[in-house]
Amino acid sequence: MWVGISILGIFYVVAMVFLALFKRCRKFALWTGLVAVAVTLTSMTVTGSQINAEARAAGYDSVADQRDAQRAGITDPAIWHSQREAYLKTWAAEKKRKEAAAKATKDQERTQADAICRENFNCWSNKFNRAATKACAPQVERAAKNNFEWTDSFTSPKFPRAAINGNGASIPYVGDAIKMQNGFGAWIIMTYECDFDTVAGSVVSVRVNPGQLAK
């Protein structure tokens, strides 16, 4: 019975979420949906308790323990208890091997993708632009002796230009989207360069000078 209530409750909650999209029905959907959530959660809790009780009555520690026995193809709880640790260790080792293999495959794919990307100027510079912006911007700000104001926007990023040194281990990012106030209170547009280490993921050096980039 409780299983049926849980299933019906889930369907009802989903229906109320859909109904809430319509303004005229939103209030009804909200209140009845909350009630349905409470009833469904209660029903699921009771269902879980009942299933666990049945598993313990059959001689298992819990329903999860019973599922493990079924996975091993063992139907006798006594036999399962005597062999459980061996199966669990074997499964854990198998899971670890699969995770290691998946990680090795992923690392290999990433290495191959990076090698291809490194050969393309736009790909390689774009790959680190966000990290470089986050690391370089505070360094540029520290060069201001007085107030400063960024003038970048969604269509005009802080570092619109870049160059790749050597094998791409270092990328100088360049921009002029900042104004700094001099000692007389005048605002001056500044050009800045930030050398970003793509291996360490850190700033190597920053240079800030008055002026704008050539268009």
Side-chain angles (χ1 to χ4, degrees):
M1 179 185 75
W2 289 105
V3 174
I5 293 176
S6 298
I7 295 174
L8 288 174
I10 292 172
F11 278 114
Y12 188 84
V13 170
V14 172
M16 290 304 100
V17 170
F18 176 76
L19 193 62
L21 297 175
F22 301 94
K23 187 175 181 180
R24 184 178 300 177
C25 307
R26 192 165 296 163
K27 187 174 181 180
F28 170 80
L30 175 63
W31 287 108
T32 58
L34 290 174
V35 173
V37 168
V39 173
T40 302
L41 291 176
T42 301
S43 176
M44 292 175 68
T45 301
V46 173
T47 300
S49 298
Q50 288 182 341
I51 294 175
N52 272 315
E54 292 172 359
R56 287 192 293 270
Y60 300 96
D61 292 346
S62 65
V63 66
D65 188 49
Q66 187 177 30
R67 291 196 188 106
D68 285 340
Q70 293 171 348
R71 178 185 176 188
I74 298 175
T75 57
D76 188 327
I79 296 176
W80 167 243
H81 287 160
S82 65
Q83 300 181 16
R84 176 172 54 194
E85 290 303 317
Y87 274 101
L88 293 179
K89 287 181 180 179
T90 299
W91 292 339
E94 181 182 357
K95 180 181 179 181
K96 191 173 182 179
R97 283 195 299 271
K98 288 182 178 179
E99 289 176 345
K103 183 179 183 301
T105 299
K106 189 174 182 179
D107 289 343
Q108 184 179 12
E109 291 174 349
R110 184 184 297 112
T111 299
Q112 292 174 346
D114 282 350
I116 295 173
C117 182
R118 191 187 290 262
E119 298 299 319
N120 183 295
F121 174 82
N122 288 332
C123 179
W124 193 244
S125 60
N126 289 338
K127 177 181 176 67
F128 299 97
N129 188 279
R130 181 177 296 180
T133 299
K134 184 177 180 180
C136 293
Q139 299 291 339
V140 173
E141 293 171 0
R142 290 191 182 97
K145 297 180 180 179
N146 299 294
N147 296 327
F148 65 87
E149 180 183 337
W150 286 102
T151 59
D152 60 300
S153 64
F154 180 77
T155 57
S156 179
K158 287 183 171 68
F159 294 91
R161 302 184 188 180
I164 296 178
N165 290 337
N167 63 355
S170 176
I171 302 178
Y173 287 92
V174 184
D176 61 358
I178 194 170
K179 296 188 297 184
M180 294 184 181
Q181 201 170 30
N182 63 18
F184 299 100
W187 289 93
I188 302 174
I189 297 175
M190 310 294 286
T191 295
Y192 44 84
E193 298 179 30
C194 178
D195 297 329
F196 184 75
D197 189 326
T198 60
V199 178
S202 59
V203 176
V204 177
S205 62
V206 171
R207 298 169 295 283
V208 180
N209 295 292
Q212 289 181 269
L213 293 174
K215 301 301 182 180

